Amino acid sequence: MNHASSRETSEPKFNWFWPTISDTESAIKASREGVWAALITSSVTVLVIIYGQVTERTIVHGIELISLIDVGIMLVAAWFIRYRLNRFAALFGMLFFVVSNLVLRILNLQSDVGGTVVFLALSMMWLNAVRGTFAYHKFQNAELQQQLDETAKSPLKRRVGISVAIIVTIGFLGLMVIGIMAPPEGVVTWEEVDPRNQQALRESGLLADENRILFLYSTSLTDINENLYVLTEDTIVINETVDGEHQQRVVPISSILTLYVVYSDTWLEDSVLIVEDEENLHAIPLSTDSGRDREFIAKLEQLSGLSVNEVEPDESD
């Protein structure tokens, strides 16, 4: 216990003379010695100048009123060391102190032991400031590099998670855009079509009189005018793209000879209405959502005066 206590007591004196620099904190403490050396030197110089001005006597040759410039230089170096941990300021301050003091000692022919000890002590303080500032930046760069390495070696799970989150977000936003821009789902009445799609239908010129629309259904994901099937009071309008070619057909209800339907029992597939007129067979898909396919067909039966013939899926094949 006494041995440990003795070592702790003697350690600060050794550290003051040649401090151990092992991290940024110890580097900062070492750099402060240059600040104290600058303050001590500046204070002594100012006191000598004041004494010389008051007594009109020169006690140290070379220290006169103009030496206040030297004081200013030392204080500026101390400021950059204290608040910027500037390596150049510490190195310049040490060289400036050593050279200026050697010049003063030569001018004053000083060789006393006390002055030499003070000079060496202050020189060591400046040297420790140089060590501290250089070590501080070294440790800072090492810590920065370590952070960059840790970032670069981030777990694969985190990167995968971020990637998945980005993909999900993009997909969600895409679905929102499609939901906003898409035509209404299923078979709907004219009143159930949103104003934007109503305007698109008016501007397309597909419908001669949209006020007479009873039901309509679009299988497109983005444009209501593509693959559009419309029932009015006197016509069926079919607007679709087949093999890359746009086709538009208008079937007057009065020209219909026979009606067939293949009902779907699942929401995954549409029911298919087959309309036969004097020239062709027209296939019209109808969504099964909310039973609107049956409402569409019932209204067509009412308008045409015909009864629909229900066909089983195997028979239609």
Side-chain angles (χ1 to χ4, degrees):
M1 293 293 292
N2 293 335
H3 177 71
S5 177
S6 175
R7 186 174 65 178
E8 290 176 1
T9 304
S10 61
E11 188 174 3
K13 295 181 180 179
F14 173 78
N15 281 345
W16 173 84
F17 182 74
W18 189 261
T20 301
I21 301 175
S22 57
D23 52 23
T24 54
E25 184 177 354
S26 58
I28 292 173
K29 289 181 178 179
S31 69
R32 296 290 189 267
E33 292 194 15
V35 177
W36 283 109
L39 293 176
I40 292 171
T41 305
S42 298
S43 299
V44 172
T45 302
V46 170
L47 290 175
V48 171
I49 293 173
I50 293 174
Y51 179 82
Q53 293 296 313
V54 172
T55 63
E56 296 183 355
R57 293 174 56 190
T58 301
I59 59 174
V60 179
H61 293 288
I63 297 182
E64 300 174 354
L65 191 61
I66 196 172
S67 297
L68 289 175
I69 297 176
D70 296 348
V71 173
I73 292 174
M74 297 295 287
L75 293 178
V76 169
W79 187 92
F80 274 97
I81 295 172
R82 172 64 178 81
Y83 295 103
R84 294 289 186 269
L85 288 160
N86 189 278
R87 290 167 288 188
F88 174 78
L91 187 59
F92 175 81
M94 182 184 71
L95 295 176
F96 184 82
F97 170 79
V98 171
V99 172
S100 60
N101 275 268
L102 288 176
V103 171
L104 287 177
R105 294 177 70 81
I106 293 171
L107 290 176
N108 292 275
L109 300 176
Q110 290 181 349
S111 60
D112 58 293
V113 176
T116 301
V117 171
V118 173
F119 169 71
L120 291 176
L122 292 174
S123 297
M124 287 302 300
M125 293 175 70
W126 274 109
L127 180 58
N128 289 331
V130 173
R131 293 175 57 223
T133 53
F134 274 83
Y136 173 82
H137 289 282
K138 179 182 177 181
F139 290 132
Q140 283 288 92
N141 292 335
E143 291 176 2
L144 178 60
Q145 186 62 46
Q146 183 179 0
Q147 293 175 1
L148 293 175
D149 292 341
E150 290 176 355
T151 302
K153 296 178 181 178
S154 59
L156 178 62
K157 184 183 295 185
R158 180 187 301 175
R159 283 181 282 179
V160 171
I162 293 174
S163 300
V164 171
I166 292 174
I167 293 173
V168 170
T169 301
I170 293 175
F172 178 74
L173 293 175
L175 290 175
M176 287 184 59
V177 172
I178 292 175
I180 295 172
M181 301 297 295
E185 296 182 0
V187 179
V188 295
T189 63
W190 176 254
E191 291 76 15
E192 292 172 321
V193 179
D194 64 86
R196 182 183 59 81
N197 282 318
Q198 286 184 356
Q199 184 65 23
L201 286 169
R202 291 191 185 100
E203 294 175 353
S204 68
L206 295 176
L207 307 174
D209 187 0
E210 64 270 13
N211 293 326
R212 296 166 53 238
I213 293 175
L214 303 176
F215 291 99
L216 62 85
Y217 176 50
S218 175
T219 60
S220 173
L221 290 177
T222 56
D223 189 352
I224 194 171
N225 292 317
E226 294 182 3
N227 299 324
L228 177 66
Y229 308 91
V230 180
L231 174 65
T232 71
E233 291 181 350
D234 50 17
T235 61
I236 296 175
V237 180
I238 302 172
N239 187 68
E240 58 187 1
T241 301
V242 180
D243 297 331
E245 295 184 3
H246 177 261
Q247 297 180 2
Q248 181 178 349
R249 288 166 285 167
V250 178
V251 182
I253 293 178
S254 58
S255 68
I256 298 175
L257 301 178
T258 312
L259 297 173
Y260 302 94
V261 65
V262 181
Y263 284 116
S264 172
D265 295 327
T266 172
W267 61 272
L268 295 173
E269 296 180 359
D270 290 341
S271 298
V272 179
L273 172 65
I274 301 173
V275 178
E276 181 183 6
D277 61 10
E278 297 175 353
E279 298 181 357
N280 297 299
L281 291 175
H282 307 280
I284 302 171
L286 295 173
S287 171
T288 61
D289 289 350
S290 303
R292 283 294 182 87
D293 55 337
R294 296 180 183 271
E295 293 183 26
F296 186 106
I297 292 169
K299 190 62 178 179
L300 180 58
E301 285 181 315
Q302 178 185 346
L303 294 173
S304 64
L306 300 173
S307 296
V308 68
N309 298 301
E310 186 172 347
V311 180
E312 294 297 329
D314 291 339
E315 295 181 32
S316 64
D317 294 340

